[in-house]
PDB file of all heavy atoms in Angstrom:
ATOM      1  N   GLN A  22      -7.258 -22.474 -29.241  1.00 32.00           N
ATOM      2  CA  GLN A  22      -6.633 -23.508 -28.425  1.00 32.00           C
ATOM      3  C   GLN A  22      -5.306 -23.025 -27.871  1.00 32.00           C
ATOM      4  O   GLN A  22      -4.964 -23.270 -26.717  1.00 32.00           O
ATOM      5  CB  GLN A  22      -6.440 -24.773 -29.257  1.00 32.00           C
ATOM      6  CG  GLN A  22      -5.881 -25.952 -28.460  1.00 32.00           C
ATOM      7  CD  GLN A  22      -5.759 -27.193 -29.308  1.00 32.00           C
ATOM      8  OE1 GLN A  22      -6.035 -27.160 -30.493  1.00 32.00           O
ATOM      9  NE2 GLN A  22      -5.345 -28.284 -28.710  1.00 32.00           N
ATOM     10  N   THR A  23      -4.533 -22.297 -28.681  1.00 30.00           N
ATOM     11  CA  THR A  23      -3.248 -21.761 -28.227  1.00 30.00           C
ATOM     12  C   THR A  23      -3.441 -20.781 -27.087  1.00 30.00           C
ATOM     13  O   THR A  23      -2.733 -20.817 -26.081  1.00 30.00           O
ATOM     14  CB  THR A  23      -2.515 -21.063 -29.392  1.00 30.00           C
ATOM     15  OG1 THR A  23      -2.320 -22.004 -30.443  1.00 30.00           O
ATOM     16  CG2 THR A  23      -1.159 -20.544 -28.936  1.00 30.00           C
ATOM     17  N   ASN A  24      -4.446 -19.900 -27.221  1.00 33.00           N
ATOM     18  CA  ASN A  24      -4.705 -18.936 -26.157  1.00 33.00           C
ATOM     19  C   ASN A  24      -5.099 -19.641 -24.873  1.00 33.00           C
ATOM     20  O   ASN A  24      -4.708 -19.246 -23.778  1.00 33.00           O
ATOM     21  CB  ASN A  24      -5.833 -17.984 -26.581  1.00 33.00           C
ATOM     22  CG  ASN A  24      -5.373 -17.023 -27.662  1.00 33.00           C
ATOM     23  OD1 ASN A  24      -4.178 -16.796 -27.810  1.00 33.00           O
ATOM     24  ND2 ASN A  24      -6.311 -16.476 -28.407  1.00 33.00           N
ATOM     25  N   LYS A  25      -5.866 -20.719 -24.980  1.00 34.00           N
ATOM     26  CA  LYS A  25      -6.271 -21.469 -23.795  1.00 34.00           C
ATOM     27  C   LYS A  25      -5.073 -22.084 -23.110  1.00 34.00           C
ATOM     28  O   LYS A  25      -4.974 -22.103 -21.887  1.00 34.00           O
ATOM     29  CB  LYS A  25      -7.280 -22.545 -24.185  1.00 34.00           C
ATOM     30  CG  LYS A  25      -7.881 -23.283 -22.992  1.00 34.00           C
ATOM     31  CD  LYS A  25      -8.938 -24.270 -23.436  1.00 34.00           C
ATOM     32  CE  LYS A  25      -9.559 -24.961 -22.236  1.00 34.00           C
ATOM     33  NZ  LYS A  25     -10.593 -25.925 -22.625  1.00 34.00           N
ATOM     34  N   GLU A  26      -4.123 -22.583 -23.905  1.00 38.00           N
ATOM     35  CA  GLU A  26      -2.925 -23.183 -23.330  1.00 38.00           C
ATOM     36  C   GLU A  26      -2.064 -22.149 -22.615  1.00 38.00           C
ATOM     37  O   GLU A  26      -1.391 -22.446 -21.643  1.00 38.00           O
ATOM     38  CB  GLU A  26      -2.120 -23.877 -24.428  1.00 38.00           C
ATOM     39  CG  GLU A  26      -2.780 -25.145 -24.956  1.00 38.00           C
ATOM     40  CD  GLU A  26      -2.046 -25.739 -26.137  1.00 38.00           C
ATOM     41  OE1 GLU A  26      -1.120 -25.083 -26.647  1.00 38.00           O
ATOM     42  OE2 GLU A  26      -2.418 -26.846 -26.562  1.00 38.00           O
ATOM     43  N   ILE A  27      -2.108 -20.924 -23.087  1.00 37.00           N
ATOM     44  CA  ILE A  27      -1.329 -19.857 -22.451  1.00 37.00           C
ATOM     45  C   ILE A  27      -1.936 -19.478 -21.107  1.00 37.00           C
ATOM     46  O   ILE A  27      -1.233 -19.226 -20.144  1.00 37.00           O
ATOM     47  CB  ILE A  27      -1.261 -18.623 -23.379  1.00 37.00           C
ATOM     48  CG1 ILE A  27      -0.406 -18.958 -24.618  1.00 37.00           C
ATOM     49  CG2 ILE A  27      -0.671 -17.419 -22.660  1.00 37.00           C
ATOM     50  CD1 ILE A  27      -0.403 -17.858 -25.652  1.00 37.00           C
ATOM     51  N   THR A  28      -3.273 -19.459 -21.026  1.00 45.00           N
ATOM     52  CA  THR A  28      -3.929 -18.988 -19.802  1.00 45.00           C
ATOM     53  C   THR A  28      -4.210 -20.101 -18.805  1.00 45.00           C
ATOM     54  O   THR A  28      -4.537 -19.839 -17.673  1.00 45.00           O
ATOM     55  CB  THR A  28      -5.259 -18.287 -20.145  1.00 45.00           C
ATOM     56  OG1 THR A  28      -6.078 -19.212 -20.880  1.00 45.00           O
ATOM     57  CG2 THR A  28      -5.018 -17.062 -21.007  1.00 45.00           C
ATOM     58  N   GLU A  29      -4.102 -21.376 -19.235  1.00 54.00           N
ATOM     59  CA  GLU A  29      -4.364 -22.477 -18.325  1.00 54.00           C
ATOM     60  C   GLU A  29      -3.197 -23.450 -18.317  1.00 54.00           C
ATOM     61  O   GLU A  29      -2.431 -23.544 -19.265  1.00 54.00           O
ATOM     62  CB  GLU A  29      -5.632 -23.250 -18.739  1.00 54.00           C
ATOM     63  CG  GLU A  29      -6.907 -22.484 -18.500  1.00 54.00           C
ATOM     64  CD  GLU A  29      -8.127 -23.360 -18.762  1.00 54.00           C
ATOM     65  OE1 GLU A  29      -7.940 -24.503 -19.222  1.00 54.00           O
ATOM     66  OE2 GLU A  29      -9.235 -22.890 -18.507  1.00 54.00           O
ATOM     67  N   LYS A  30      -3.077 -24.172 -17.236  1.00 58.00           N
ATOM     68  CA  LYS A  30      -2.043 -25.204 -17.129  1.00 58.00           C
ATOM     69  C   LYS A  30      -2.643 -26.364 -16.361  1.00 58.00           C
ATOM     70  O   LYS A  30      -3.137 -26.192 -15.257  1.00 58.00           O
ATOM     71  CB  LYS A  30      -0.811 -24.668 -16.400  1.00 58.00           C
ATOM     72  CG  LYS A  30       0.266 -25.714 -16.141  1.00 58.00           C
ATOM     73  CD  LYS A  30       1.457 -25.046 -15.466  1.00 58.00           C
ATOM     74  CE  LYS A  30       2.533 -26.063 -15.152  1.00 58.00           C
ATOM     75  NZ  LYS A  30       2.085 -27.026 -14.123  1.00 58.00           N
ATOM     76  N   VAL A  31      -2.653 -27.539 -16.959  1.00 53.00           N
ATOM     77  CA  VAL A  31      -3.224 -28.705 -16.304  1.00 53.00           C
ATOM     78  C   VAL A  31      -2.110 -29.665 -15.942  1.00 53.00           C
ATOM     79  O   VAL A  31      -1.362 -30.116 -16.802  1.00 53.00           O
ATOM     80  CB  VAL A  31      -4.252 -29.414 -17.213  1.00 53.00           C
ATOM     81  CG1 VAL A  31      -4.801 -30.650 -16.514  1.00 53.00           C
ATOM     82  CG2 VAL A  31      -5.380 -28.467 -17.570  1.00 53.00           C
ATOM     83  N   ASP A  32      -1.979 -29.970 -14.663  1.00 56.00           N
ATOM     84  CA  ASP A  32      -1.007 -30.939 -14.184  1.00 56.00           C
ATOM     85  C   ASP A  32      -1.741 -32.201 -13.749  1.00 56.00           C
ATOM     86  O   ASP A  32      -2.787 -32.128 -13.111  1.00 56.00           O
ATOM     87  CB  ASP A  32      -0.224 -30.391 -12.988  1.00 56.00           C
ATOM     88  CG  ASP A  32       0.843 -29.399 -13.424  1.00 56.00           C
ATOM     89  OD1 ASP A  32       1.173 -29.361 -14.621  1.00 56.00           O
ATOM     90  OD2 ASP A  32       1.313 -28.666 -12.557  1.00 56.00           O
ATOM     91  N   THR A  33      -1.193 -33.349 -14.078  1.00 50.00           N
ATOM     92  CA  THR A  33      -1.719 -34.597 -13.564  1.00 50.00           C
ATOM     93  C   THR A  33      -0.949 -34.959 -12.312  1.00 50.00           C
ATOM     94  O   THR A  33       0.245 -35.220 -12.357  1.00 50.00           O
ATOM     95  CB  THR A  33      -1.596 -35.719 -14.598  1.00 50.00           C
ATOM     96  OG1 THR A  33      -2.333 -35.352 -15.764  1.00 50.00           O
ATOM     97  CG2 THR A  33      -2.142 -37.022 -14.045  1.00 50.00           C
ATOM     98  N   VAL A  34      -1.644 -34.942 -11.196  1.00 54.00           N
ATOM     99  CA  VAL A  34      -1.014 -35.226  -9.911  1.00 54.00           C
ATOM    100  C   VAL A  34      -1.200 -36.702  -9.586  1.00 54.00           C
ATOM    101  O   VAL A  34      -2.321 -37.186  -9.485  1.00 54.00           O
ATOM    102  CB  VAL A  34      -1.627 -34.345  -8.810  1.00 54.00           C
ATOM    103  CG1 VAL A  34      -0.989 -34.667  -7.468  1.00 54.00           C
ATOM    104  CG2 VAL A  34      -1.433 -32.877  -9.162  1.00 54.00           C
ATOM    105  N   LYS A  35      -0.120 -37.423  -9.444  1.00 46.00           N
ATOM    106  CA  LYS A  35      -0.176 -38.862  -9.189  1.00 46.00           C
ATOM    107  C   LYS A  35      -0.205 -39.123  -7.682  1.00 46.00           C
ATOM    108  O   LYS A  35       0.628 -38.624  -6.943  1.00 46.00           O
ATOM    109  CB  LYS A  35       1.026 -39.564  -9.818  1.00 46.00           C
ATOM    110  CG  LYS A  35       1.076 -39.432 -11.338  1.00 46.00           C
ATOM    111  CD  LYS A  35       2.303 -40.113 -11.909  1.00 46.00           C
ATOM    112  CE  LYS A  35       2.351 -39.970 -13.426  1.00 46.00           C
ATOM    113  NZ  LYS A  35       3.552 -40.605 -14.007  1.00 46.00           N
ATOM    114  N   THR A  36      -1.174 -39.912  -7.265  1.00 46.00           N
ATOM    115  CA  THR A  36      -1.233 -40.337  -5.870  1.00 46.00           C
ATOM    116  C   THR A  36      -1.017 -41.847  -5.822  1.00 46.00           C
ATOM    117  O   THR A  36      -0.832 -42.492  -6.852  1.00 46.00           O
ATOM    118  CB  THR A  36      -2.586 -39.983  -5.239  1.00 46.00           C
ATOM    119  OG1 THR A  36      -3.598 -40.778  -5.860  1.00 46.00           O
ATOM    120  CG2 THR A  36      -2.917 -38.511  -5.429  1.00 46.00           C
ATOM    121  N   ASP A  37      -1.059 -42.415  -4.631  1.00 46.00           N
ATOM    122  CA  ASP A  37      -0.826 -43.852  -4.485  1.00 46.00           C
ATOM    123  C   ASP A  37      -1.948 -44.685  -5.097  1.00 46.00           C
ATOM    124  O   ASP A  37      -1.735 -45.808  -5.526  1.00 46.00           O
ATOM    125  CB  ASP A  37      -0.672 -44.228  -3.003  1.00 46.00           C
ATOM    126  CG  ASP A  37       0.573 -43.600  -2.397  1.00 46.00           C
ATOM    127  OD1 ASP A  37       1.499 -43.302  -3.161  1.00 46.00           O
ATOM    128  OD2 ASP A  37       0.597 -43.415  -1.168  1.00 46.00           O
ATOM    129  N   THR A  38      -3.152 -44.126  -5.153  1.00 42.00           N
ATOM    130  CA  THR A  38      -4.295 -44.925  -5.584  1.00 42.00           C
ATOM    131  C   THR A  38      -4.891 -44.492  -6.916  1.00 42.00           C
ATOM    132  O   THR A  38      -5.496 -45.286  -7.606  1.00 42.00           O
ATOM    133  CB  THR A  38      -5.405 -44.868  -4.519  1.00 42.00           C
ATOM    134  OG1 THR A  38      -5.759 -43.485  -4.274  1.00 42.00           O
ATOM    135  CG2 THR A  38      -4.919 -45.477  -3.213  1.00 42.00           C
ATOM    136  N   ASN A  39      -4.738 -43.233  -7.284  1.00 53.00           N
ATOM    137  CA  ASN A  39      -5.334 -42.779  -8.538  1.00 53.00           C
ATOM    138  C   ASN A  39      -4.605 -41.552  -9.068  1.00 53.00           C
ATOM    139  O   ASN A  39      -3.579 -41.159  -8.527  1.00 53.00           O
ATOM    140  CB  ASN A  39      -6.827 -42.458  -8.347  1.00 53.00           C
ATOM    141  CG  ASN A  39      -7.039 -41.426  -7.244  1.00 53.00           C
ATOM    142  OD1 ASN A  39      -6.085 -40.889  -6.702  1.00 53.00           O
ATOM    143  ND2 ASN A  39      -8.287 -41.160  -6.916  1.00 53.00           N
ATOM    144  N   GLN A  40      -5.165 -40.984 -10.113  1.00 64.00           N
ATOM    145  CA  GLN A  40      -4.603 -39.764 -10.683  1.00 64.00           C
ATOM    146  C   GLN A  40      -5.626 -38.642 -10.562  1.00 64.00           C
ATOM    147  O   GLN A  40      -6.809 -38.838 -10.835  1.00 64.00           O
ATOM    148  CB  GLN A  40      -4.237 -39.962 -12.152  1.00 64.00           C
ATOM    149  CG  GLN A  40      -3.021 -40.861 -12.355  1.00 64.00           C
ATOM    150  CD  GLN A  40      -2.615 -40.908 -13.813  1.00 64.00           C
ATOM    151  OE1 GLN A  40      -3.389 -40.584 -14.703  1.00 64.00           O
ATOM    152  NE2 GLN A  40      -1.378 -41.274 -14.061  1.00 64.00           N
ATOM    153  N   ILE A  41      -5.159 -37.494 -10.134  1.00 73.00           N
ATOM    154  CA  ILE A  41      -6.034 -36.337  -9.975  1.00 73.00           C
ATOM    155  C   ILE A  41      -5.519 -35.221 -10.879  1.00 73.00           C
ATOM    156  O   ILE A  41      -4.346 -34.871 -10.828  1.00 73.00           O
ATOM    157  CB  ILE A  41      -6.033 -35.846  -8.511  1.00 73.00           C
ATOM    158  CG1 ILE A  41      -6.450 -36.975  -7.572  1.00 73.00           C
ATOM    159  CG2 ILE A  41      -6.969 -34.662  -8.352  1.00 73.00           C
ATOM    160  CD1 ILE A  41      -6.306 -36.627  -6.115  1.00 73.00           C
ATOM    161  N   LYS A  42      -6.399 -34.710 -11.702  1.00 82.00           N
ATOM    162  CA  LYS A  42      -6.009 -33.589 -12.557  1.00 82.00           C
ATOM    163  C   LYS A  42      -6.328 -32.282 -11.849  1.00 82.00           C
ATOM    164  O   LYS A  42      -7.462 -32.052 -11.448  1.00 82.00           O
ATOM    165  CB  LYS A  42      -6.732 -33.660 -13.903  1.00 82.00           C
ATOM    166  CG  LYS A  42      -6.210 -34.751 -14.828  1.00 82.00           C
ATOM    167  CD  LYS A  42      -6.867 -34.675 -16.187  1.00 82.00           C
ATOM    168  CE  LYS A  42      -6.287 -35.722 -17.123  1.00 82.00           C
ATOM    169  NZ  LYS A  42      -6.919 -35.656 -18.465  1.00 82.00           N
ATOM    170  N   ILE A  43      -5.334 -31.455 -11.707  1.00 89.00           N
ATOM    171  CA  ILE A  43      -5.517 -30.159 -11.055  1.00 89.00           C
ATOM    172  C   ILE A  43      -5.188 -29.065 -12.056  1.00 89.00           C
ATOM    173  O   ILE A  43      -4.115 -29.063 -12.656  1.00 89.00           O
ATOM    174  CB  ILE A  43      -4.617 -30.019  -9.814  1.00 89.00           C
ATOM    175  CG1 ILE A  43      -4.970 -31.090  -8.775  1.00 89.00           C
ATOM    176  CG2 ILE A  43      -4.758 -28.630  -9.200  1.00 89.00           C
ATOM    177  CD1 ILE A  43      -4.125 -31.024  -7.515  1.00 89.00           C
ATOM    178  N   THR A  44      -6.112 -28.155 -12.237  1.00 92.00           N
ATOM    179  CA  THR A  44      -5.907 -27.041 -13.157  1.00 92.00           C
ATOM    180  C   THR A  44      -5.363 -25.842 -12.394  1.00 92.00           C
ATOM    181  O   THR A  44      -5.919 -25.444 -11.374  1.00 92.00           O
ATOM    182  CB  THR A  44      -7.223 -26.643 -13.849  1.00 92.00           C
ATOM    183  OG1 THR A  44      -7.735 -27.767 -14.559  1.00 92.00           O
ATOM    184  CG2 THR A  44      -6.998 -25.497 -14.821  1.00 92.00           C
ATOM    185  N   PHE A  45      -4.283 -25.285 -12.889  1.00 94.00           N
ATOM    186  CA  PHE A  45      -3.692 -24.083 -12.312  1.00 94.00           C
ATOM    187  C   PHE A  45      -3.864 -22.919 -13.278  1.00 94.00           C
ATOM    188  O   PHE A  45      -3.787 -23.096 -14.490  1.00 94.00           O
ATOM    189  CB  PHE A  45      -2.195 -24.279 -12.050  1.00 94.00           C
ATOM    190  CG  PHE A  45      -1.886 -25.210 -10.916  1.00 94.00           C
ATOM    191  CD1 PHE A  45      -1.873 -26.569 -11.104  1.00 94.00           C
ATOM    192  CD2 PHE A  45      -1.603 -24.721  -9.654  1.00 94.00           C
ATOM    193  CE1 PHE A  45      -1.595 -27.447 -10.066  1.00 94.00           C
ATOM    194  CE2 PHE A  45      -1.319 -25.573  -8.602  1.00 94.00           C
ATOM    195  CZ  PHE A  45      -1.319 -26.949  -8.813  1.00 94.00           C
ATOM    196  N   TYR A  46      -4.128 -21.744 -12.741  1.00 95.00           N
ATOM    197  CA  TYR A  46      -4.114 -20.550 -13.579  1.00 95.00           C
ATOM    198  C   TYR A  46      -2.902 -19.710 -13.214  1.00 95.00           C
ATOM    199  O   TYR A  46      -2.476 -19.655 -12.062  1.00 95.00           O
ATOM    200  CB  TYR A  46      -5.413 -19.750 -13.450  1.00 95.00           C
ATOM    201  CG  TYR A  46      -5.776 -19.287 -12.059  1.00 95.00           C
ATOM    202  CD1 TYR A  46      -5.314 -18.066 -11.571  1.00 95.00           C
ATOM    203  CD2 TYR A  46      -6.609 -20.051 -11.244  1.00 95.00           C
ATOM    204  CE1 TYR A  46      -5.659 -17.631 -10.300  1.00 95.00           C
ATOM    205  CE2 TYR A  46      -6.951 -19.630  -9.973  1.00 95.00           C
ATOM    206  CZ  TYR A  46      -6.473 -18.419  -9.516  1.00 95.00           C
ATOM    207  OH  TYR A  46      -6.798 -17.992  -8.255  1.00 95.00           O
ATOM    208  N   LYS A  47      -2.324 -19.091 -14.220  1.00 96.00           N
ATOM    209  CA  LYS A  47      -1.101 -18.330 -14.020  1.00 96.00           C
ATOM    210  C   LYS A  47      -1.414 -16.973 -13.401  1.00 96.00           C
ATOM    211  O   LYS A  47      -2.403 -16.323 -13.746  1.00 96.00           O
ATOM    212  CB  LYS A  47      -0.366 -18.141 -15.350  1.00 96.00           C
ATOM    213  CG  LYS A  47       0.150 -19.450 -15.949  1.00 96.00           C
ATOM    214  CD  LYS A  47       0.930 -19.207 -17.223  1.00 96.00           C
ATOM    215  CE  LYS A  47       1.409 -20.519 -17.818  1.00 96.00           C
ATOM    216  NZ  LYS A  47       2.374 -21.215 -16.945  1.00 96.00           N
ATOM    217  N   VAL A  48      -0.582 -16.550 -12.491  1.00 96.00           N
ATOM    218  CA  VAL A  48      -0.715 -15.241 -11.860  1.00 96.00           C
ATOM    219  C   VAL A  48       0.669 -14.602 -11.785  1.00 96.00           C
ATOM    220  O   VAL A  48       1.686 -15.251 -12.022  1.00 96.00           O
ATOM    221  CB  VAL A  48      -1.312 -15.342 -10.434  1.00 96.00           C
ATOM    222  CG1 VAL A  48      -2.705 -15.931 -10.474  1.00 96.00           C
ATOM    223  CG2 VAL A  48      -0.427 -16.185  -9.531  1.00 96.00           C
ATOM    224  N   ASN A  49       0.686 -13.352 -11.468  1.00 96.00           N
ATOM    225  CA  ASN A  49       1.949 -12.630 -11.308  1.00 96.00           C
ATOM    226  C   ASN A  49       1.852 -11.815 -10.030  1.00 96.00           C
ATOM    227  O   ASN A  49       1.492 -10.648 -10.042  1.00 96.00           O
ATOM    228  CB  ASN A  49       2.204 -11.732 -12.513  1.00 96.00           C
ATOM    229  CG  ASN A  49       3.533 -10.987 -12.411  1.00 96.00           C
ATOM    230  OD1 ASN A  49       4.428 -11.405 -11.661  1.00 96.00           O
ATOM    231  ND2 ASN A  49       3.671  -9.898 -13.141  1.00 96.00           N
ATOM    232  N   GLY A  50       2.136 -12.473  -8.912  1.00 96.00           N
ATOM    233  CA  GLY A  50       1.978 -11.794  -7.633  1.00 96.00           C
ATOM    234  C   GLY A  50       3.072 -12.164  -6.657  1.00 96.00           C
ATOM    235  O   GLY A  50       4.104 -12.727  -7.027  1.00 96.00           O
ATOM    236  N   LYS A  51       2.819 -11.834  -5.410  1.00 97.00           N
ATOM    237  CA  LYS A  51       3.765 -12.204  -4.363  1.00 97.00           C
ATOM    238  C   LYS A  51       2.987 -12.499  -3.092  1.00 97.00           C
ATOM    239  O   LYS A  51       1.834 -12.074  -2.924  1.00 97.00           O
ATOM    240  CB  LYS A  51       4.781 -11.092  -4.102  1.00 97.00           C
ATOM    241  CG  LYS A  51       4.214  -9.832  -3.475  1.00 97.00           C
ATOM    242  CD  LYS A  51       5.331  -8.844  -3.175  1.00 97.00           C
ATOM    243  CE  LYS A  51       4.771  -7.590  -2.490  1.00 97.00           C
ATOM    244  NZ  LYS A  51       5.848  -6.635  -2.148  1.00 97.00           N
ATOM    245  N   GLY A  52       3.608 -13.251  -2.225  1.00 98.00           N
ATOM    246  CA  GLY A  52       2.986 -13.581  -0.959  1.00 98.00           C
ATOM    247  C   GLY A  52       4.045 -13.772   0.093  1.00 98.00           C
ATOM    248  O   GLY A  52       5.244 -13.883  -0.214  1.00 98.00           O
ATOM    249  N   ILE A  53       3.609 -13.808   1.335  1.00 98.00           N
ATOM    250  CA  ILE A  53       4.538 -13.983   2.446  1.00 98.00           C
ATOM    251  C   ILE A  53       4.277 -15.343   3.087  1.00 98.00           C
ATOM    252  O   ILE A  53       3.140 -15.669   3.447  1.00 98.00           O
ATOM    253  CB  ILE A  53       4.414 -12.823   3.471  1.00 98.00           C
ATOM    254  CG1 ILE A  53       5.528 -12.888   4.503  1.00 98.00           C
ATOM    255  CG2 ILE A  53       3.043 -12.770   4.118  1.00 98.00           C
ATOM    256  CD1 ILE A  53       5.682 -11.607   5.308  1.00 98.00           C
TER     257      ILE A  53
END
Side-chain angles (χ1 to χ4, degrees):
Q22 184 178 3
T23 301
N24 289 339
K25 186 176 182 180
E26 289 174 351
I27 292 174
T28 57
E29 289 187 354
K30 175 178 178 293
V31 178
D32 283 344
T33 300
V34 179
K35 298 178 180 179
T36 67
D37 295 336
T38 56
N39 56 5
Q40 289 186 341
I41 303 173
K42 287 186 177 180
I43 298 180
T44 301
F45 289 83
Y46 58 88
K47 294 183 181 295
V48 298
N49 182 21
K51 68 176 182 178
I53 189 165

